[in-house]
Amino acid sequence: MEDNADLIGGVGGDRLGGVIDSLVTRGYAVSPGYFPPSLVRALRKETMERDQRGEFRLAGIGRRQDHQKDTRVRSDRTCWLKGDSLAQCRLLDAMETLRLEVNRTLFMGLFDLESHFAIYGPGDYYQRHLDAFNGNNGRLLSVVLYLNEGWQSEWGGRLRIWPEPDAMRVVTEVEPRAGTLVVFLSEKIPHEVLAATRERYSIAGWFRCNNTTADWLDPPR
Ligand code: OGA
Ligand code: MN
């Protein structure tokens, strides 16, 4: 049943309009059930298989020359998505639909997407941060998709969101439930991943602008 429902209107379907509206009014959007169970299941399976094959690495902060591994800031493990499975292709397809709609309605000029699988083990966290500042990495719009079926509130692992860079008061906390999509402006919305008592699976991605100039070919990451 649920798998048939997935096929109607494509991934996201009628939820896309709501995501765009919320982005405009709040700078972030939370959309439970944006991704169908069958796709989420396939992506979770792939995450676990890649982990077993040793494809995950301790996540870093910053890009290239200033790339550091600092477990005081974050302690999750990640593996970059390269579009080399059917499930990844379906996901990237849905992201492309989102990219085109955001560009069409909000003129954000989103150019490409870099994304990774992430595993937070029990006790892992990612302290409050912005995904971009002053255009340092070209990231404009952040997306997070959760892959945890049957997630219980008491396991923790919520994504905490503040409404603007200097805000003191949290506006919302999102449970990392299977199929939920979170989208937010990379330079404007601070967020934090709280520690969980179970393994927590997600995919995080960033739509970037094109920083290529005549003497600088912008690499994807
Ligand atoms: C990130 C991030 C949020 C999450 O990877 O930059 O903030 O809920 N992830 O996994
Ligand atoms: Mn982040």
Side-chain angles (χ1 to χ4, degrees):
M1 249 313 264
E2 65 186 22
D3 287 358
N4 284 342
D6 298 354
L7 300 174
I8 302 165
V11 172
D14 52 355
R15 290 182 171 85
L16 185 48
V19 166
I20 304 271
D21 289 348
S22 182
L23 262 182
V24 171
T25 53
R26 290 183 268 271
Y28 68 89
V30 179
S31 187
Y34 191 93
F35 291 93
S38 57
L39 176 55
V40 170
R41 207 176 302 125
L43 290 167
R44 183 177 55 248
K45 184 160 171 278
E46 184 173 335
T47 306
M48 292 161 95
E49 286 166 359
R50 286 184 186 276
D51 189 32
Q52 270 159 18
R53 292 202 296 269
E55 295 182 21
F56 281 72
R57 297 276 173 272
L58 200 57
I61 46 176
R63 287 163 67 82
R64 292 162 339 125
Q65 61 272 43
D66 49 333
H67 190 87
Q68 305 164 36
K69 294 198 164 64
D70 185 346
T71 51
R72 285 168 307 175
V73 177
R74 67 186 298 186
S75 53
D76 57 320
R77 295 178 300 122
T78 60
C79 167
W80 290 100
L81 249 90
K82 301 190 195 101
D84 50 8
S85 72
L86 188 59
Q88 284 188 38
C89 290
R90 280 190 71 199
L91 172 71
L92 294 174
D93 238 38
M95 292 301 182
E96 181 63 6
T97 303
L98 174 68
R99 184 184 77 85
L100 293 173
E101 191 60 11
V102 167
N103 283 349
R104 190 180 73 80
T105 54
L106 309 182
F107 306 103
M108 277 184 73
L110 307 181
F111 182 69
D112 64 2
L113 176 71
E114 54 181 356
S115 52
H116 63 208
F117 297 99
I119 302 178
Y120 289 73
D124 286 347
Y125 55 84
Y126 193 166
Q127 289 179 358
R128 174 173 167 154
H129 65 282
L130 285 170
D131 286 344
F133 24 88
N134 303 328
N136 64 328
N137 53 19
R139 291 175 175 181
L140 295 174
L141 190 69
S142 305
V143 288
V144 188
L145 156 63
Y146 298 109
L147 307 177
N148 310 293
E149 204 158 293
W151 190 265
Q152 306 291 307
S153 292
E154 60 269 26
W155 296 349
R158 286 187 294 279
L159 174 69
R160 187 173 265 179
I161 294 175
W162 287 263
E164 53 197 44
D166 298 322
M168 301 292 286
R169 196 186 296 252
V170 172
V171 276
T172 190
E173 288 189 350
V174 182
E175 306 250 0
R177 293 186 190 282
T180 297
L181 172 70
V182 182
V183 186
F184 53 88
L185 301 176
S186 305
E187 288 184 301
K188 183 168 176 243
I189 302 293
H191 53 285
E192 171 180 9
V193 179
L194 301 175
T197 55
R198 306 289 165 105
E199 203 144 77
R200 174 192 191 273
Y201 299 110
S202 60
I203 292 174
W206 301 271
F207 289 105
R208 306 182 326 130
C209 57
N210 185 1
N211 284 322
T212 297
T213 58
D215 55 2
W216 167 251
L217 183 62
D218 194 24
R221 62 173 180 264

